[in-house]
Amino acid sequence: MDRLSLEAPTGEITVFVGPSGCGKTTSLRMINRMIDATEGRILLDGEPVQDIDPPTLRRGIGYVIQQAGLFPHRKILDNVATVPYLLGWDRRKARDRAMELLERVGLDPGLAGRYPFQLSGGQQQRVGVARALAADPPVLLMDEPFSAVDPVVRTSLQDELLRLQSELNKTIVFVTHDIDEAIKLGDQVAVLRVGGKLAQLAAPKTLLSEPADDFVREFLGRDRGIRRLQFVSTEGLRLRTDLPAPEGAGTFVFGTDSLRTALDAALLSPSGTAVAVDERGEVVGVATREALDEALAEAAHG
Amino acid sequence: MNWLIDFFGDPARWTGFDGIPVRLLEHLEFSALALALAMLVAVPIGLLIGHTGRGGVLVVVSANLARALPTLGLLVLFVLLLGTASIWPVIIPLVLLAVPPILVNTFEGIRGVDPELRDAAYGMGLRGGQVLGRVLVPVALPLILLGLRLSAIQVVATTTVAAYTGLGGLGRFVIDGFATKDYASVVGGSVLIVLFALVVQIAFTLAQRVTVSPGVSQRLKTR
């Protein structure tokens, strides 16, 4: 770590991303004192973490790691209730809370009596998230939590995290080496370079449109322009309502989905046009190539 | 076969200071005492060294040295030095014999727990002792029990030899039998020793069933 200084705003997701050896995990583990910083300060709600006894500090911070790290000898329910038990909660209250969390993270409550080895990797990771949330900590640290599962499961876990976050508004610090994951999940993204130096700290959209230097640009990858479209709304698209919706055309939710989704829908349609639908799936209009082209031109300039 | 009937069918074999029940109890007493003492020494040291990660080399080296000791020689040495007035000349070598397997397996069991698991335990806010007691020991339990079982079997077998020094135990039937050409006693005693060892094995298997979490032994079927 070298003079890394940043703030993870309350109620938002801050993602640390960078190549291996950039110190992103080390930075994360300094927050709950799994590693102690040799110098400098880390403040949690204004209080230096160095002044708090590590176990006490950690019980107040949710912690999710790569392989979930569930206790193999304990049933799922008791795994989730680990921190409440440590905090001396009444056993029944702790178990009720654990049960509630299992449902919250999208797990069948029937799994409560199973052991970790009986669950799939994705399910175990959900249990890991439930366990971290059990004592309702305001802060959540997530260390590459989804990198050991297959891409389909990873996507669903990411969506689930965003859904949970919209309900819970935790202050989350998330570490990943996957820039796409960082862009998808982060309210702000900290790109770190080898040696623990902060290359850029910005909202994903800004990161894609205005990378600070060549390192960030390279790390973002080639199709940065296309990916930026996912932050451009389809609200401004000029829809045609006088055309019939073509057969087999891709659809996007007007105003909710991004321009990237709309473009993707058009590219996959035989007609080359995308059909705009509302939240209920009713057709509201057709986005033609011309309309998309206009929107692209606008996105490129704005 | 006749020897067996002679041996087990003779009512005189079942009573008195040299009867089967007394010899059996003696055998049990010596073995259990030696094993218990070895456990008291080896388990805490194994846990401590496995948990802290310090002194591991020392454990392995000293355990291997101890394994190389000839038990019978040690036994004779202690008896010559201390006499046969007490049971300690026999118990001490038995303990020395029992310590290495327990120590090594406990140490390896604790040290071998997945580092991610240890990390998660600390990350949840467990203190050092809680990490050891609530996570590492339950997960390492199969190996710890294996060490105990290996030691128990060795101790039971060596206690038989201990009869050579004039102490009791089931070995007396064999040794005295040879000395007096009483082959019924030799065969009967051997059978008792085999049965005893089997019972010890079964006892450990049952203990393992009861104490090891199904989540660790993965005994349950995945549905």
Side-chain angles (χ1 to χ4, degrees):
Chain A
M1 281 323 96
D2 187 12
R3 274 161 294 180
L4 179 65
S5 175
L6 57 83
E7 183 183 356
T10 305
E12 291 190 4
I13 302 181
T14 300
V15 180
F16 291 172
V17 68
S20 43
C22 73
K24 50 194 190 296
T25 292
T26 308
S27 308
L28 183 89
R29 289 164 65 90
M30 281 178 179
I31 299 173
N32 65 353
R33 294 192 62 189
M34 293 295 282
I35 298 173
D36 267 324
T38 45
E39 50 185 308
R41 289 187 312 160
I42 295 161
L43 303 179
L44 191 69
D45 271 338
E47 194 181 349
V49 295
Q50 282 89 337
D51 294 353
I52 311 172
D53 158 61
T56 310
L57 172 74
R58 292 171 193 151
R59 287 170 198 182
I61 299 177
Y63 187 48
V64 187
I65 58 176
Q66 192 175 352
Q67 306 282 358
L70 301 181
F71 301 152
H73 60 294
R74 292 209 182 146
K75 291 182 175 171
I76 298 304
L77 195 68
D78 295 323
N79 259 291
V80 175
T82 302
V83 180
Y85 288 157
L86 281 176
L87 294 173
W89 288 24
D90 172 62
R91 214 173 163 77
R92 189 176 174 150
K93 185 182 158 204
R95 291 186 153 208
D96 285 348
R97 169 73 180 160
M99 214 58 196
E100 177 195 323
L101 274 163
L102 283 182
E103 291 189 51
R104 248 224 148 112
V105 299
L107 280 172
D108 174 7
L111 297 177
R114 300 276 180 89
Y115 286 96
F117 80 94
Q118 297 172 299
L119 270 57
S120 71
Q123 287 173 326
Q124 288 193 24
Q125 206 48 262
R126 282 172 197 262
V127 176
V129 173
R131 178 173 69 173
L133 290 170
D136 204 18
V139 178
L140 215 55
L141 305 181
M142 308 183 81
D143 188 4
E144 305 212 22
F146 307 147
S147 56
V149 293
D150 68 67
V152 176
V153 175
R154 189 181 313 145
T155 303
S156 84
L157 286 170
Q158 289 167 347
D159 293 340
E160 195 76 24
L161 179 66
L162 288 174
R163 188 188 58 77
L164 270 174
Q165 173 64 353
S166 69
E167 293 171 10
L168 303 175
N169 290 308
K170 300 288 181 190
T171 304
I172 299 177
V173 181
F174 191 107
V175 162
T176 180
H177 59 261
D178 176 356
I179 185 69
D180 290 317
E181 185 168 67
I183 283 168
K184 177 173 178 179
L185 297 177
D187 292 307
Q188 64 167 0
V189 176
V191 183
L192 303 181
R193 65 171 102 239
V194 176
K197 284 198 174 119
L198 183 63
Q200 187 169 9
L201 175 68
K205 188 180 168 183
T206 315
L207 205 62
L208 287 166
S209 55
E210 297 157 37
D213 57 20
D214 286 345
F215 170 78
V216 178
R217 196 170 296 125
E218 199 171 309
F219 194 73
L220 284 166
R222 283 181 171 270
D223 47 358
R224 178 162 66 84
I226 296 277
R227 278 188 279 155
R228 192 160 70 87
L229 292 179
Q230 76 194 58
F231 298 99
V232 179
S233 166
T234 45
E235 243 166 14
L237 262 182
R238 195 170 45 81
L239 297 179
R240 295 276 295 268
T241 48
D242 54 331
L243 297 173
E247 279 294 304
T251 60
F252 65 96
V253 180
F254 185 62
T256 306
D257 277 341
S258 67
L259 190 55
R260 186 178 178 174
T261 311
L263 193 63
D264 192 56
L267 289 170
L268 293 173
S269 297
S271 57
T273 58
V275 175
V277 297
D278 62 15
E279 304 286 352
R280 285 161 306 176
E282 307 271 345
V283 176
V284 293
V286 173
T288 60
R289 284 255 173 102
E290 292 73 32
L292 289 166
D293 195 40
E294 266 173 39
L296 284 178
E298 213 168 291
H301 293 117
Chain B
M1 206 59 214
N2 285 335
W3 283 332
L4 281 183
I5 295 163
D6 283 352
F7 183 74
F8 290 105
D10 182 356
R13 296 278 192 197
W14 293 90
T15 54
F17 72 96
D18 59 352
I20 293 170
V22 170
R23 292 294 185 221
L24 203 62
L25 274 179
E26 282 171 350
H27 207 100
L28 186 66
E29 187 194 329
F30 296 154
S31 310
L33 181 63
L35 192 67
L37 288 175
M39 239 173 95
L40 279 178
V41 174
V43 171
I45 296 178
L47 291 181
L48 190 74
I49 293 177
H51 188 40
T52 59
R54 293 197 196 102
V57 181
L58 198 77
V59 168
V60 176
V61 170
S62 57
N64 283 335
L65 277 178
R67 268 179 192 168
L69 289 176
T71 318
L72 191 61
L74 215 57
L75 208 65
V76 172
L77 182 71
F78 271 93
V79 170
L80 287 178
L81 287 176
L82 303 173
T84 51
S86 72
I87 55 170
W88 296 108
V90 177
I91 297 298
I92 293 169
L94 288 179
V95 172
L96 289 179
L97 173 77
V99 161
I102 302 176
L103 184 59
V104 170
N105 281 286
T106 304
F107 164 71
E108 293 285 359
I110 296 293
R111 201 192 54 163
V113 172
D114 184 357
E116 283 251 344
L117 201 57
R118 197 185 281 255
D119 198 68
Y122 279 110
M124 295 292 112
L126 275 78
R127 295 179 188 278
Q130 292 172 324
V131 173
L132 180 65
R134 299 194 193 179
V135 180
L136 301 183
V137 169
V139 173
L141 202 54
L143 258 185
I144 297 173
L145 288 177
L146 173 70
L148 287 174
R149 200 178 72 197
L150 291 175
S151 284
I153 289 165
Q154 286 199 33
V155 166
V156 165
T158 312
T159 303
T160 312
V161 182
Y164 187 73
T165 63
L167 259 104
L170 294 172
R172 285 251 65 87
F173 291 122
V174 179
I175 285 161
D176 292 348
F178 270 121
T180 59
K181 297 209 163 80
D182 175 0
Y183 295 114
S185 176
V186 173
V187 173
S190 309
V191 168
L192 279 175
I193 290 159
V194 169
L195 286 178
F196 191 87
L198 274 178
V199 170
V200 168
Q201 283 273 21
I202 293 167
F204 270 95
T205 311
L206 287 179
Q208 178 134 0
R209 281 244 150 182
V210 175
T211 55
V212 175
S213 158
V216 173
S217 61
Q218 307 203 348
R219 214 162 48 225
L220 302 176
K221 288 217 167 66
T222 316
R223 269 179 295 168

